[in-house]
Amino acid sequence: MASQPPSKSSEPRKKYRPATELVHGGAMRSQFAETSEALFLTQGFVYPDAEAAEARFKGDDPGFVYSRYANPTVAMFEERMCLLEGAQAARAVASGMAAVTASLLCDLKAGDHVVSSRALFGSCDYVIGTLLPRLGVSSTLIDGRDIDAWKKAVRPETKAFFLESPSNPTLELIDIAAVAKIAREAGARLIVDNVFSTPLFQHPLKLGAHAVVYSATKHIDGQGRCLGGIVLSDETWIEEKLFPYLKHTGPSLSPFNAWVLLKALETLEVRVTRQAESAAKLAEVLADHPAIERIYYPGHKSHPQRALAARQMASGGTMIAFDVKGGKRGAFDVLRALEVVKISNNLGDAKSLVTHPATTTHQRLKEEERAALGIGDGLIRLSVGLEDPLDLAEDLTQALDAASAPTLRAVSA
Ligand SMILES: Cc1ncc(COP(=O)(O)O)c(C=O)c1O
């Protein structure tokens, strides 16, 4: 087994296309030359003598020390993600929220200021809007689509910008390259939560972001089995800022979950390509249904930021949102009538899943805050899975038909 504590893509080697890197990248074989990457389910490592332990702790010998710091299976997952993302270094953590929180707390101190788009996943909103201010880090939430708003929000003490694009759940887009430029000029680091577009369809680091974070729970696992997260950036920041924070606060990814995620990466390209193709077809079906007021899909002609989507995303992605007529009652009627598509708050899964954001993921927000984000009572978020798209189209259509008969009668009464 190669001795390699932190994961790095620093050694020169031939680069392959994503689908190939996702199958082979980062693999380290033990003395048994196993085909499938090994699961090192161990908290620690044995040293041949006390001198070796001393050298390992001092950093003179680059072997593994303790799985809170680094673990061979976790390192393989990190390295495979670096190759996919084109990042110098990465550190994996226990969940997407651990990744978001660590990417901010590792590098901020009381007195600093953060600018963030306001269209955020509920827990990201809590971290930026509530937790950071409690620790003395102020934050300004803006409409991230408005490029001037980023400029206007900058203060001398601004140290970080944060955004999600597309956003959860209304699929608003933010011009990552334009925001990265403003961040650079302000001396701030732009962190992008790239969950919705997946590592295959959008590359924030190439667009100028400083760091990219993922909930690996979503498309990366894609089979609803475990939680995970990862932060990717340049090697200096990852090792000097992020690593000490993780090492001493301990939100480590378990080797077992890292192994699940590592093996899941082998099928990521096939899965999300199929899911996105199905999503594009379903967007057409949904857009034409009389029970729907409006759909939100970056790959659909009705999306107001279609040109930006074409510029910065390689696909419209796997997520669609739509407003049904009849508000909460109309939305609940649709959810109740679905048979193949399941009600759940996860996304990026092999199973198609629907969520009613106003009563679940964004329930914490006040009604007026939800309204400002475009999260109405009739909004449904759909994560498109791997089922046959015709079965999905039939299921959604029958649910909308069933729900819309009484709803449309009530609306027109
Ligand atoms: C955009 C976004 N960021 C972060 C997270 C948090 O991920 P996790 O549930 O793995 O902590 C989610 C979860 O839904 C999300 O949608």
Side-chain angles (χ1 to χ4, degrees), residues 95-98 100 121 124 164 168 193 195-196 215-218 227-229 345-347 381:
S95 70
M97 283 321 301
V100 168
F121 171 58
C124 297
E164 266 173 48
N168 181 359
D193 181 335
V195 162
F196 264 51
S215 163
T217 320
K218 308 296 186 287
L227 296 167
N345 44 292
N346 196 21
L347 61 96
R381 188 190 79 185

Side-chain angles (χ1 to χ4, degrees), residues 120-143:
L120 292 175
F121 171 58
S123 297
C124 297
D125 177 72
Y126 168 82
V127 170
I128 292 170
T130 304
L131 180 65
L132 290 183
R134 218 164 68 199
L135 302 176
V137 178
S138 56
S139 55
T140 307
L141 295 170
I142 56 159
D143 180 345

Side-chain angles (χ1 to χ4, degrees), residues 77 195 198-199 215-228 257 260-272 275 318 346-353 383-387:
F77 170 60
V195 162
T198 85
S215 163
T217 320
K218 308 296 186 287
H219 302 84
I220 292 174
D221 172 39
Q223 288 145 92
R225 297 169 297 190
C226 66
L227 296 167
N257 286 3
V260 171
L261 296 169
L262 177 70
K263 301 305 289 175
L265 284 179
E266 294 180 357
T267 55
L268 179 71
E269 202 252 2
V270 179
R271 285 187 282 111
V272 298
Q275 286 168 289
T318 68
N346 196 21
L347 61 96
D349 200 274
K351 295 180 172 58
S352 290
L353 303 172
S383 169
V384 178
L386 288 173
E387 302 91 339

Side-chain angles (χ1 to χ4, degrees), residues 3-326:
S3 172
Q4 183 182 326
S7 50
K8 290 176 204 149
S9 297
S10 47
E11 286 183 16
R13 63 187 273 287
K14 179 169 164 51
K15 290 208 169 30
Y16 296 96
R17 291 170 185 82
T20 308
E21 296 290 15
L22 284 167
V23 173
H24 295 285
M28 294 188 281
R29 292 206 160 79
S30 77
Q31 68 273 33
F32 301 114
E34 60 281 350
T35 310
S36 177
E37 295 77 355
L39 165 52
F40 289 90
L41 201 52
T42 178
Q43 51 62 41
F45 305 86
V46 175
Y47 313 103
D49 48 44
E51 286 78 8
E54 183 183 20
R56 201 72 67 83
F57 268 78
K58 268 186 168 165
D60 294 345
D61 168 18
F64 292 93
V65 172
Y66 191 51
S67 287
R68 171 152 50 79
Y69 307 174
N71 168 283
T73 310
V74 178
M76 286 191 266
F77 170 60
E78 291 166 341
E79 176 67 5
R80 195 164 282 179
M81 282 298 298
C82 282
L83 292 166
L84 178 61
E85 197 71 42
Q88 286 177 358
R91 288 281 176 179
V93 288
S95 70
M97 283 321 301
V100 168
T101 309
S103 71
L104 292 162
L105 287 187
C106 76
D107 200 12
L108 291 171
K109 59 178 185 332
D112 289 345
H113 173 242
V114 175
V115 185
S116 172
S117 62
R118 64 184 182 188
L120 292 175
F121 171 58
S123 297
C124 297
D125 177 72
Y126 168 82
V127 170
I128 292 170
T130 304
L131 180 65
L132 290 183
R134 218 164 68 199
L135 302 176
V137 178
S138 56
S139 55
T140 307
L141 295 170
I142 56 159
D143 180 345
R145 293 167 297 183
D146 176 358
I147 293 303
D148 279 343
W150 291 93
K151 280 191 200 144
K152 286 190 194 127
V154 169
R155 300 185 201 155
E157 63 274 21
T158 305
K159 292 287 159 39
F161 280 19
F162 187 90
L163 66 85
E164 266 173 48
S165 181
S167 67
N168 181 359
T170 50
L171 298 143
E172 284 179 14
L173 305 188
I174 296 175
D175 187 335
I176 298 174
V179 176
K181 185 165 175 284
I182 299 166
R184 251 193 324 277
E185 285 162 5
R189 299 183 192 285
L190 170 62
I191 299 158
V192 176
D193 181 335
N194 207 34
V195 162
F196 264 51
S197 60
T198 85
L200 281 158
F201 298 148
Q202 180 169 274
H203 305 286
L205 298 179
K206 293 195 182 107
L207 294 168
H210 170 74
V212 57
V213 293
Y214 288 101
S215 163
T217 320
K218 308 296 186 287
H219 302 84
I220 292 174
D221 172 39
Q223 288 145 92
R225 297 169 297 190
C226 66
L227 296 167
I230 189 160
V231 185
L232 303 107
S233 183
D234 67 69
E235 194 174 335
T236 308
W237 188 78
I238 292 282
E239 294 313 315
E240 291 181 7
K241 297 285 185 186
L242 184 72
F243 178 54
Y245 171 89
L246 297 177
K247 175 176 167 178
H248 298 299
T249 60
S252 335
L253 180 64
S254 89
F256 182 79
N257 286 3
W259 181 80
V260 171
L261 296 169
L262 177 70
K263 301 305 289 175
L265 284 179
E266 294 180 357
T267 55
L268 179 71
E269 202 252 2
V270 179
R271 285 187 282 111
V272 298
T273 302
R274 160 70 177 254
Q275 286 168 289
E277 281 167 9
S278 297
K281 289 178 193 155
L282 291 176
E284 295 294 341
V285 172
L286 293 168
D288 287 341
H289 198 283
I292 288 183
E293 266 168 8
R294 179 180 168 186
I295 68 152
Y296 307 78
Y297 182 63
H300 192 260
K301 57 183 178 301
S302 64
H303 197 286
Q305 296 167 293
R306 182 82 181 88
L308 176 58
R311 211 162 62 236
Q312 75 181 15
M313 296 173 72
S315 151
T318 68
M319 304 293 299
I320 307 173
F322 50 95
D323 283 314
V324 295
K325 292 176 181 161

